[in-house]
């Protein structure tokens, strides 16, 4: 019994010694923790399929694409672990057997035959480089023990996968796989896996882009080891040896650069950001945009956005023409820059007017000089067209009818409706919505225009463009499904510029609803287009806002739009005809009243048209603005049955009265009507023996200074052009002068209008008062 009692103090001392050692190790671990990597700020932005679009280096300039073990090829993990440390899963950071074997081989041969470092030790050297001395090796081993104490095997292996050196500024197997092989690490073949497994041993000496022969020898050494260990079969190794060592030149990816920069700024803490971009489509369209605009004047940039209508995800995003070009301000992202939209807002205006019951597709509008207070719009082409339908006014992008319709809808209401749907119109500080916004007198962004334009193929639902798959789908109703269908049908019927339907076979190509726009001073050229599946937006201009003369939407942006749409994937049914929705009806209407034909008064139907009407609404032709003018309408007057002269309530002679009913056109439309239409709609003259009636109070206009069918010539022996000096009598207000339908000047009251005619030929001169009163003369200019 006494003997065991004497042993107790020894066991206590041993236990205390072990406790002190363990406590000291714990304290040392806490006081001197291993410098575990925290990501270092390196970020990679990926396409939807995982291809890198752009890599952002960390503060040290290192490119790293973070991955997890599950995102790496099993073949690479097998090659790495079996070649570097096949006991990795069993040791606790240091493998004594491997260390002794390496030391014996070094002592016997005077050179390193096999390394004794475990993968954990290699990770320790990666996170804390040290000199290759005995002290450095001891420190590496202690750090390896710390790593095993703190981390799981998978966590240690993940650090290696993301931080192992692969040459140059490339770290991690994913970055190396993309940099050298152009593929993700999960797709590595056995030969490629063996190559990347051995490369970190001597990244500078074995770089496959610089030393392919040395890299192949090292790779084959790994393959031989895998066969010897029985991990890979002899047949697989033989096939892998045949595979050539081919590497690309190290160059970080730079696609969708501005979107990648935008996504990184929105999520600064994320190392891997997955976008919705289609990598192959993105690269193809970047090359297409660069080639297409190569001949534009210097300092020109361009932007392109392609969106999938179903998901509202961006599939291609070109923010500038040349990202690295300082001349064209290539660093400025024009997809989200605020620019004047030109006429691209007009489709939304017509859709909202249809929803409000103001018009249908064939409602009669007037394209003629008009004043809206102090605002007097003109067309992009200064000529006018007179009476036009809603469909033609939209397809021709006529300015005056659009301003007229916006005035009736209300600029503030129009702006609010667009803003609710995500399309914000930006005005100068303190300014209120006005009529000029429909012609581009405001600012908006390409991505907002595309998100709203998609509504025409999404049953009236606009939505914010999504750049990440996890971003929520934020959609708002902009218009009814029926109004969206009608306006899209109008825009699709526009066809393709320069292609006649009877010459070009459109079978198999989806119809495109498109609209162009050009801002004042040729600063912005736009083209928006949509099919059943895609919506595409193009902008061209100078980021600094200076003009780009001669470049406008139809000739600069529209051809690229069609090139892009024709290159997009097409699904079965995309080119098929669409069913007329229940809310839309095809109805026959008549001009000038805008109503269905009246079988009891066929004379009121001067022109028949097939209209698309929403929910059975058939609004009549809009009333004229000027109260002094007789607007379009159904008028009835008493006339003498014999002479056809108009009879008032009081006439002194004997007359046989009959009722004469006719349809009047809008007054401003009359100068453009054929002679037969003018006569049919004319108010009969008042009989001489009748007292004046309300029709007699109508303003009349007469051109003074030129007789009917006159001829003029330049003065004899003079180089001066033939000149006319005319005045309009009958109105104290503003008078607009047109030559062959094109605005040529303006006077007030009876002031003279002067015009020189340098070219010979026939000219039609029209004087048009604000009330709708007008007069017209024809003149021939001789040589």
């Amino acid at each position: 019994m006494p003997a065991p009692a004497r042993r107790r103090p020894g066991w206590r001392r041993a236990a205390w010694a072990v406790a002190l050692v363990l406590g000291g190790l714990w304290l040392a671990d806490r006081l001197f923790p291993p410098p575990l990597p925290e990501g270092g700020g390196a970020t990679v932005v990926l396409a939807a399929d995982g291809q890198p679009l752009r890599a952002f280096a960390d503060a040290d300039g290192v490119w790293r694409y973070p991955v997890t073990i599950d995102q790496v090829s099993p073949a690479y993990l097998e090659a790495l672990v079996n070649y570097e440390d096949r006991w990795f899963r069993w040791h606790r950071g240091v493998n004594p057997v491997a260390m002794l074997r390496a030391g014996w081989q070094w002592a016997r041969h005077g050179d390193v035959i096999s390394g004794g470092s475990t993968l954990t030790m290699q990770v320790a050297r990666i996170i804390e480089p040290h000199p290759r001395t005995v002290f450095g090796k001891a420190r590496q081993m202690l750090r390896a023990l710390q790593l095993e104490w703190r981390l799981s095997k998978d966590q240690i292996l993940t650090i290696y996968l993301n931080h192992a050196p692969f040459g140059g500024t490339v770290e991690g197997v994913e970055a190396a796989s993309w940099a050298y092989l152009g593929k993700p690490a999960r797709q590595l073949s056995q030969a490629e896996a063996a190559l990347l497994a051995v490369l970190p041993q001597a990244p500078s000496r074995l770089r496959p882009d610089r030393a392919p022969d040395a890299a192949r020898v090292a790779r084959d050494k790994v393959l031989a080891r895998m066969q010897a260990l029985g991990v890979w079969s002899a047949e697989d190794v033989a096939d892998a040896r045949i595979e050539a060592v081919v590497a690309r030149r190290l160059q970080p990816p730079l696609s969708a650069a501005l979107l990648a920069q935008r996504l990184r700024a929105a999520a600064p803490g994320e190392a891997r950001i997955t976008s919705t971009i289609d990598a192959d489509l993105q690269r193809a369209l970047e090359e297409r945009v660069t080639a297409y605009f190569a001949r534009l004047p210097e300092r020109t940039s361009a932007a392109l956005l392609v969106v999938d209508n179903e998901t509202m995800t961006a599939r291609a995003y070109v923010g500038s023409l040349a990202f690295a070009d300082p001349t064209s301000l290539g660093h400025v992202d024009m997809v989200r820059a605020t620019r004047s939209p030109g006429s691209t807002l007009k489709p939304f205006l017509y859709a909202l007017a249809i929803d409000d019951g103001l018009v249908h597709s064939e409602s009669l509008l007037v394209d003629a000089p008009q004043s809206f207070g102090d605002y007097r719009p003109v067309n992009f082409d200064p000529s006018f067209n007179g009476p036009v339908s809603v469909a033609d006014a939209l397809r021709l992008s006529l300015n005056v009818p659009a301003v007229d319709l916006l005035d009736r809808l209300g600029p503030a209401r129009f702006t609010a409706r667009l803003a609710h749907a995500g399309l914000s119109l930006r005005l100068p500080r303190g300014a209120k919505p006005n009529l000029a916004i429909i012609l581009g007198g405001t600012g908006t962004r390409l991505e907002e225009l595309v998100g709203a334009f998609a509504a025409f193929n999404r049953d009236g639902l606009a939505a914010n463009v999504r750049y990440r798959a996890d971003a929520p789908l934020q959609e708002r109703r902009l218009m009814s499904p029926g109004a969206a269908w009608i306006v899209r049908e109008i825009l699709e019927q526009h066809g393709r510029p320069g292609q006649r339907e009877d010459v070009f076979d459109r079978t198999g190509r989806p119809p495109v609803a498109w609209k162009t726009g050009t801002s004042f001073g040729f600063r912005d050229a736009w083209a928006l287009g949509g099919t059943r599946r895609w919506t595409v937006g193009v902008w061209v201009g100078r980021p600094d806002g200076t003009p780009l003369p001669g470049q406008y939407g139809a000739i600069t942006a529209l051809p690229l739009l069609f090139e892009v749409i024709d290159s997009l994937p097409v699904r079965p049914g995309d080119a098929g005809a669409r069913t007329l929705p229940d809310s839309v009806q095809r109805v026959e209407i008549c001009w000038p009243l805008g109503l269905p034909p009246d079988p009891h008064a066929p004379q009121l139907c001067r022109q028949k048209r097939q209209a698309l009407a929403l929910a059975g609404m058939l609004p009549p032709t809009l009333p004229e603005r000027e109260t002094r003018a007789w607007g379009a309408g159904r008028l009835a007057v008493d006339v003498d049955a014999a002479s056809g002269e108009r009879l008032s309530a009081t006439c002194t002679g004997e007359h046989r009265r009959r009722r004469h009913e006719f349809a009047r056109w809008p007054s401003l439309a009359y100068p453009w009507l054929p002679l037969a239409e003018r006569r049919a709609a004319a108010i009969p003259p008042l009989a001489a023996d009748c007292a004046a009636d309300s029709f007699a109070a109508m303003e009349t206009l007469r051109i003074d200074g030129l007789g009917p069918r006159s001829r003029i010539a330049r003065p004899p022996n003079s180089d001066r052009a033939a000149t006319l000096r005319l005045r309009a009598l009958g109105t104290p207000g503003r008078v607009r002068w047109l030559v062959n339908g094109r605005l040529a000047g303006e006077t007030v009251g009876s002031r003279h209008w002067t015009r020189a005619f340098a070219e010979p030929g026939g000219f039609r001169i029209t004087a048009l008062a604000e009330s709708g009163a007008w007069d017209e003369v024809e003149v021939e200019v001789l040589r």
Side-chain angles (χ1 to χ4, degrees):
M1 296 297 295
R6 287 195 296 271
R7 293 192 185 98
R8 287 195 187 99
W11 284 107
R12 287 198 189 97
R13 284 194 293 271
W16 277 105
V18 171
L20 287 173
V21 171
L22 293 176
L25 291 174
W26 179 86
L27 181 61
D29 179 69
R30 291 300 180 267
L31 293 175
F32 305 101
L36 297 177
E38 297 179 354
T43 302
V44 59
V45 178
L46 307 171
D49 63 354
Q51 294 189 49
L53 295 174
R54 183 180 180 185
F56 295 89
D58 63 11
D60 298 324
V62 173
W63 307 95
R64 188 182 303 112
Y65 307 170
V67 290
T68 62
I69 293 177
D70 296 336
Q71 295 171 323
V72 177
S73 167
Y76 174 77
L77 297 176
E78 291 172 350
L80 174 66
V81 173
N82 284 279
Y83 185 75
E84 291 289 350
D85 184 6
R86 61 193 178 108
W87 303 107
F88 172 68
R89 294 291 178 180
W90 307 104
H91 62 68
R92 302 306 301 168
V94 178
N95 187 343
V97 175
M99 294 294 293
L100 290 173
R101 183 181 68 248
W104 168 255
Q105 292 173 341
W106 176 76
R108 184 178 179 182
H109 300 283
D111 199 1
V112 176
I113 302 300
S114 64
S117 295
T118 64
L119 272 175
T120 309
M121 293 173 64
Q122 293 183 45
V123 170
R125 187 173 66 245
I126 289 172
I127 65 176
E128 189 179 48
H130 60 78
R132 294 182 178 274
T133 62
V134 174
F135 176 77
K137 198 69 172 179
R139 183 173 181 178
Q140 179 185 5
M141 294 169 65
L142 289 174
R143 287 300 193 197
L145 293 173
Q146 282 184 289
L147 291 174
E148 293 281 349
W149 191 347
R150 286 171 169 262
L151 305 176
S152 69
K153 290 291 185 179
D154 284 351
Q155 289 175 317
I156 294 171
L157 186 57
T158 299
I159 294 177
Y160 183 91
L161 295 178
N162 287 300
H163 294 271
F166 281 88
T169 57
V170 176
E171 284 189 2
V173 65
E174 182 76 358
S177 183
W178 279 110
Y180 292 116
L181 306 172
K183 61 168 60 176
R186 68 174 180 272
Q187 296 179 2
L188 294 174
S189 67
Q190 289 179 319
E192 294 165 339
L195 173 65
L196 295 187
V198 74
L199 184 54
Q201 286 193 352
S204 298
R205 183 170 56 85
L206 300 178
R207 275 180 56 169
D209 60 326
R210 294 181 177 177
D213 293 336
R216 181 182 56 79
V217 172
R219 180 204 66 180
D220 290 349
K221 184 178 178 182
V222 177
L223 293 174
R225 176 76 62 84
M226 299 300 289
Q227 180 179 347
L229 294 175
V231 180
W232 294 347
S233 68
E235 292 79 6
D236 289 341
V237 169
D239 290 341
R241 286 178 181 274
I242 298 174
E243 195 170 313
V245 173
V246 179
R248 307 188 309 174
R249 184 172 63 90
L250 281 185
Q251 186 174 0
L254 193 62
S255 190
L258 289 169
L259 174 62
Q261 185 172 299
R262 174 178 180 176
L263 294 179
R264 183 197 184 205
E270 294 189 44
R272 289 173 66 92
I273 300 173
T274 302
S275 72
T276 62
I277 296 299
D278 181 320
D280 295 335
L281 178 64
Q282 175 71 30
R283 285 191 288 268
L285 293 185
E286 285 180 345
E287 294 175 1
R288 186 183 293 270
V289 169
T290 301
Y292 183 84
F293 292 121
R295 297 183 180 180
L296 283 182
E298 63 176 12
R299 295 186 290 116
T300 302
S301 189
L304 169 70
L305 186 61
V306 178
V307 174
D308 185 313
N309 291 332
E310 183 177 351
T311 62
M312 288 306 295
T313 53
R315 305 299 285 162
Y317 184 115
V318 181
S320 65
L321 184 59
F323 171 68
D325 180 17
T327 304
S328 62
L329 301 180
H331 64 283
V332 180
D333 188 352
M334 301 310 298
V335 169
R336 55 176 179 165
T338 299
R339 306 292 295 200
S340 166
S343 295
T344 58
L345 300 179
K346 289 175 181 175
F348 308 117
L349 169 66
Y350 285 98
L352 296 181
I354 290 172
D355 268 335
D356 279 4
L358 290 175
V359 294
H360 49 66
S361 70
E362 293 299 315
S363 288
L364 172 60
L365 303 177
V366 180
D367 180 36
Q370 296 188 54
S371 295
F372 303 86
D374 293 332
Y375 186 48
R376 297 188 292 276
V378 295
N379 291 323
F380 186 77
D381 178 348
S383 62
F384 294 92
N385 298 270
V388 292
S389 67
V390 161
D392 287 337
L394 176 55
R395 281 192 287 258
L396 297 175
S397 196
L398 301 177
N399 289 343
V400 176
V403 173
D404 182 16
L405 203 54
L406 179 61
D407 188 40
R408 299 173 193 271
L409 185 71
R413 185 160 171 264
F414 176 66
T415 303
R417 291 280 293 273
L418 293 182
H420 173 76
L423 177 54
S424 298
L425 303 185
R426 297 159 180 86
L427 296 167
R429 186 183 299 274
K432 295 181 179 180
N434 53 65
L435 297 178
I437 62 176
I438 199 60
L439 306 185
T442 182
T444 190
R445 297 173 176 174
L446 175 60
E447 62 183 355
E448 294 181 3
L449 276 171
V450 169
F453 201 82
F456 294 113
N457 280 284
R458 302 184 76 248
D459 290 331
L461 289 174
N464 293 344
V465 180
R466 301 164 61 212
Y467 302 111
R468 299 187 59 165
D470 56 357
L473 177 59
Q474 299 176 342
E475 51 187 5
R476 299 280 183 86
R477 179 154 300 284
L478 177 54
M479 64 197 75
S480 70
W485 198 95
I486 292 172
V487 172
R488 188 193 65 242
E489 182 77 4
I490 291 172
L491 295 177
E492 285 181 354
Q493 293 303 315
H494 209 172
R496 293 172 179 246
Q499 294 189 9
R500 288 170 44 191
E501 293 188 17
D502 57 345
V503 175
F504 291 89
D505 182 10
R506 297 193 299 172
T507 305
R509 286 200 303 189
V512 182
W514 59 271
K515 183 71 184 74
T516 60
T518 306
S519 67
F520 178 76
F522 299 98
R523 288 174 170 82
D524 306 274
W526 301 85
L528 297 172
T531 65
R532 183 171 282 170
R533 184 177 178 186
W534 305 101
T535 298
V536 179
V538 177
W539 171 89
V540 185
R542 286 175 170 158
D544 60 8
T546 54
L548 199 59
Q551 304 297 328
Y552 52 93
I555 68 166
T556 305
L558 186 61
L560 176 63
L561 176 83
F562 279 106
E563 284 189 19
V564 171
I565 288 179
D566 288 343
S567 69
L568 296 175
V570 178
R571 293 180 298 199
D574 283 355
R578 307 202 203 196
T579 304
L580 190 73
D582 293 338
S583 61
V584 178
Q585 297 83 40
R586 297 188 186 275
V587 183
E588 187 176 64
I589 62 99
C590 290
W591 278 9
L593 300 181
L595 300 173
D598 184 350
H600 302 293
Q603 77 278 8
L604 302 178
C605 188
R606 305 304 306 173
Q607 289 186 25
K608 289 184 178 180
R609 300 220 166 204
Q610 291 293 323
L612 294 170
L614 179 64
M617 293 186 293
L618 289 173
T621 299
L622 295 169
E624 294 190 87
R625 334 184 71 80
E626 290 288 336
T627 57
R628 292 175 296 169
W630 289 100
R634 185 170 180 167
L635 299 182
V637 296
D638 287 339
V639 297
D640 183 270
S643 67
E645 294 179 321
R646 186 174 80 252
L647 304 176
S648 65
T650 304
C651 299
T652 58
E654 292 293 330
H655 299 279
R656 186 163 61 87
R657 291 178 180 262
R658 69 174 178 86
R659 199 69 171 166
H660 173 59
E661 195 171 25
F662 59 101
R664 287 280 294 174
W665 293 77
S667 299
L668 291 173
Y670 274 78
W672 286 268
L673 293 177
L675 181 59
E677 287 298 335
R678 297 181 193 176
R679 289 175 176 172
I683 300 173
L686 185 65
D689 62 329
C690 294
D693 55 13
S694 58
F695 292 104
M698 289 180 60
E699 186 174 75
T700 58
L701 200 67
R702 181 173 62 85
I703 294 177
D704 180 56
L706 190 69
R709 301 186 181 278
S710 298
R711 295 181 176 183
I712 62 171
R714 65 185 181 185
N717 302 319
S718 173
D719 293 332
R720 289 190 306 160
T723 302
L724 278 178
R725 190 166 185 265
L726 307 175
R727 60 177 179 168
L729 304 178
T731 179
R734 183 182 291 111
V735 177
R736 290 189 175 89
W737 296 84
L738 292 83
V739 177
N740 291 342
R742 298 170 69 94
L743 188 64
E746 187 176 296
T747 59
V748 176
S750 58
R751 292 183 180 177
H752 283 90
W753 171 75
T754 304
R755 167 69 182 259
F757 294 84
E759 299 295 330
F763 297 90
R764 187 179 74 258
I765 300 172
T766 307
L768 188 62
E770 290 183 300
S771 65
W774 63 281
D775 192 19
E776 189 172 88
V777 295
E778 293 183 356
V779 62
E780 182 180 359
V781 178
L782 305 177
R783 292 185 180 276

